[in-house]
Amino acid sequence: MLETANNDRQTGGPAGGRRARRHAETRAEILEAAWEIARSEGLAGLTMRDLAKRVGMRAPSLYSYFASKHEIYDAMFAQGYRQLMERWEALDLPDDPHDLALVAMRLFVEFAVEDPARHQLLFQRTVPGFEPSTESWAVAQEMYQRTLVAPMAAIGITDPHLLDLATALGTGLADQQISNDPGGDRWLRLIDESAEMFLTHARSRKRRR
Amino acid sequence: MLETANNDRQTGGPAGGRRARRHAETRAEILEAAWEIARSEGLAGLTMRDLAKRVGMRAPSLYSYFASKHEIYDAMFAQGYRQLMERWEALDLPDDPHDLALVAMRLFVEFAVEDPARHQLLFQRTVPGFEPSTESWAVAQEMYQRTLVAPMAAIGITDPHLLDLATALGTGLADQQISNDPGGDRWLRLIDESAEMFLTHARSRKRRR
DNA sequence: GTCTATATTTGGATAGAC
DNA sequence: GTCTATCCAAATATAGAC
């Protein structure tokens, strides 16, 4: 081995060490395989055996990368929120409030629908004994700030009630699409109308104050 | 035994036979116990052993009443929809469209929130291999007709898009309340405002035609 | 780090006596 | 209809050799 002079031991070494880098790469591979299984078998259908098989390992070897199955769910949870944030940052944001609201709602609903298992993990949290770690929760909170609170403030909406109403509308469209018309577009087609309804409502409340 | 002269054999006898009646009663007891377990342990936490213990049986005895665990889920599914329908029929329905929409939305959301496991079974269907039978689906369809389509038609709303928008709004409020503020009322407090927003929107669309 | 072997638990379902 | 005794399968996780 070439790294005998390299004194990073196990996973505790410097972030750029060859061993640590390889370790992180394998972790990423495992997570990618986990998403694939979750997508095809359902979130609860993810098992250590299947996961190991898909990355060309035996089940016990996974424990060199994750301490438990819950830790894998936790990493997926944080990764999912980061994905949504990156998707948001990559957008070309329009100035017009109406368009901005529409783009935001469309992003959220389409993100949910394109991977129902991910939506279930991130927003419904119906996995038997799983609770996200505080670190992963922090990622979720940051997403909420950056992709909802901040842009809404930019178009003059700061009332917490209205933010909650917006999230209800978004998850409602997503959940209905996923549960009652998987693969179709029955609720996807209502995104524009919903955004418009919401904005009109928000404006009328503001006027009334 | 007293029913030697009674010629209803097994479960195939007349609906009023003593044996059949007893059988139906036990089935109902089992279902009630199943709901209790689902509420406390989660829908996926329901096991035949626990269920049997709660009704004072051993697990194999349950198979005299239900052919499989899926059949139990299926009976719960139909029962849940019947409950919602009965709840609706028991209401004192107001004539005013605004009030009617509000009452309907409130019923739906509160029904969901008061038993999240039931909501999950009926409206999210995230139980691993469970698909409702065609009979149970028919019950669900009837609920949809009687508690949504008909009353909406009564207040002049027949556009299918608007019905879908209404269900999205209802499930959205319910899901957010259950997932992000269990035991609280953060989204419950938005029911009135949501109903109002929806009605205003529906009226404006009608006017535009 | 990866493997084989295995502990341990759990859960659905069936066989067959009573 | 209910029981005891089991079967069978699946799943997480650990021990210990290499």
Side-chain angles (χ1 to χ4, degrees), chain A residues 92-153:
Chain A
D92 223 351
L93 295 179
D95 292 325
D96 180 62
H98 180 275
D99 294 344
L100 186 67
L102 195 131
V103 159
M105 187 167 289
R106 190 176 287 158
L107 175 72
F108 179 76
V109 179
E110 285 174 353
F111 183 79
V113 169
E114 91 186 19
D115 190 343
R118 183 179 57 192
H119 178 67
Q120 198 186 334
L121 177 64
L122 270 53
F123 301 105
Q124 312 203 108
R125 295 205 305 288
T126 161
V127 185
F130 169 64
E131 263 322 286
S133 62
T134 51
E135 294 82 27
S136 295
W137 258 116
V139 179
Q141 290 306 311
E142 198 191 340
M143 186 286 298
Y144 184 71
Q145 282 295 321
R146 302 239 296 254
T147 78
L148 187 76
V149 179
M152 286 288 242

Side-chain angles (χ1 to χ4, degrees), chain B residues 25 74 96-97 153 162 188:
Chain B
E25 279 166 15
D74 195 59
D96 181 63
L162 285 176
L188 287 174

Side-chain angles (χ1 to χ4, degrees), chain A residues 188-206:
Chain A
L188 287 174
R189 278 180 292 139
L190 301 179
I191 295 175
D192 293 21
E193 185 175 339
S194 298
E196 198 186 330
M197 172 178 76
F198 172 75
L199 270 186
T200 304
H201 173 72
R203 285 200 193 101
S204 84
R205 283 203 58 184
K206 200 187 250 180

Side-chain angles (χ1 to χ4, degrees), chain A residues 3-65:
Chain A
E3 64 267 35
T4 33
N6 189 332
N7 57 0
D8 61 308
R9 341 161 197 147
Q10 305 284 27
T11 57
R18 267 190 293 275
R19 183 167 299 169
R21 194 159 45 226
R22 185 88 189 83
H23 191 85
E25 279 167 14
T26 308
R27 261 180 78 104
E29 257 180 69
I30 292 169
L31 287 182
E32 190 37 55
W35 283 117
E36 286 166 18
I37 293 172
R39 277 190 284 267
S40 67
E41 307 296 317
L43 202 55
L46 176 64
T47 74
M48 299 301 269
R49 287 188 200 324
D50 290 353
L51 180 53
K53 187 184 293 176
R54 192 171 281 252
V55 293
M57 280 180 184
R58 301 298 174 140
S61 304
L62 294 173
Y63 291 86
S64 295
Y65 299 95

Side-chain angles (χ1 to χ4, degrees), chain B residues 21-39 46-76 79:
Chain B
R21 194 159 45 225
R22 185 87 189 85
H23 191 85
E25 279 166 15
T26 306
R27 261 180 78 104
E29 257 180 71
I30 291 169
L31 287 183
E32 189 39 55
W35 283 115
E36 286 165 17
I37 293 172
R39 276 190 284 268
L46 176 65
T47 73
M48 299 301 270
R49 281 165 167 63
D50 289 353
L51 181 52
K53 188 185 292 179
R54 192 172 280 252
V55 293
M57 281 179 182
R58 301 298 176 137
S61 305
L62 294 172
Y63 290 86
S64 296
Y65 299 95
F66 296 94
S68 68
K69 191 184 175 185
H70 270 29
E71 209 175 86
I72 295 178
Y73 278 132
D74 195 59
M76 293 169 78
Q79 200 177 49

Side-chain angles (χ1 to χ4, degrees), chain B residues 176-184:
Chain B
Q176 285 292 85
Q177 183 57 54
I178 288 169
S179 297
N180 295 325
D181 185 36

Side-chain angles (χ1 to χ4, degrees), chain A residues 124 126 175 193 201 205, chain B residues 120 124 164 175 193 201 205:
Chain A
Q124 312 203 108
T126 161
D175 289 340
E193 185 175 339
H201 173 72
R205 283 203 58 184
Chain B
Q120 196 186 337
Q124 312 204 106
D164 286 344
D175 289 341
E193 186 175 338
H201 173 73
R205 284 203 55 182

